[in-house]
Amino acid sequence: MGNLLKVLTCTDLEQGPNFFLDFENAQPTESEKEIYNQVNVVLKDAEGILEDLQSYRGAGHEIREAIQHPADEKLQEKAWGAVVPLVGKLKKFYEFSQ
């Protein structure tokens, strides 16, 4: 680890240490397996969470329409139908962040 820090802080690369770190093919040691497995599960979930976050659009339009027309039951139902699934997504995002 010390050598890695030397390389990262080295201003003259020709005189610094020269070595290769293969991050793509690294394998956990036996003592690292438990943590590796925990992190691997989180990283697999992270991809789907990131896609959901990027496609999250909210329900602002539906909510505004329902507020502007409180007597219109169709707009109220449309707003409710748009908000309920988003609450589930937000809960999923929150739980993932924990």
Side-chain angles (χ1 to χ4, degrees):
M1 185 59 125
N3 286 338
L4 178 59
L5 293 175
K6 283 182 186 177
V7 168
L8 294 175
T9 60
C10 182
T11 56
D12 186 8
L13 293 177
E14 292 193 22
Q15 293 183 359
N18 187 10
F19 61 92
F20 174 73
L21 293 174
D22 187 4
F23 288 108
E24 291 182 9
N25 296 313
Q27 295 296 317
T29 63
E30 199 58 43
S31 63
E32 299 168 334
K33 282 269 190 200
E34 183 179 347
I35 293 174
Y36 172 82
N37 290 335
Q38 291 173 354
V39 170
N40 200 31
V41 168
V42 171
L43 289 176
K44 285 181 181 176
D45 289 345
E47 193 171 314
I49 295 287
L50 184 58
E51 288 173 10
D52 285 346
L53 277 169
Q54 289 172 335
S55 67
Y56 185 86
R57 68 168 191 86
H61 176 72
E62 291 87 347
I63 292 169
R64 278 190 297 281
E65 288 291 317
I67 290 171
Q68 290 173 356
H69 304 95
D72 189 335
E73 283 297 317
K74 286 185 180 182
L75 287 176
Q76 302 303 313
E77 289 177 19
K78 184 178 178 184
W80 185 251
V83 168
V84 170
L86 295 178
V87 170
K89 277 188 177 185
L90 291 173
K91 181 180 183 219
K92 185 171 122 180
F93 299 156
Y94 173 77
E95 288 172 348
F96 179 79
S97 74
Q98 297 301 306

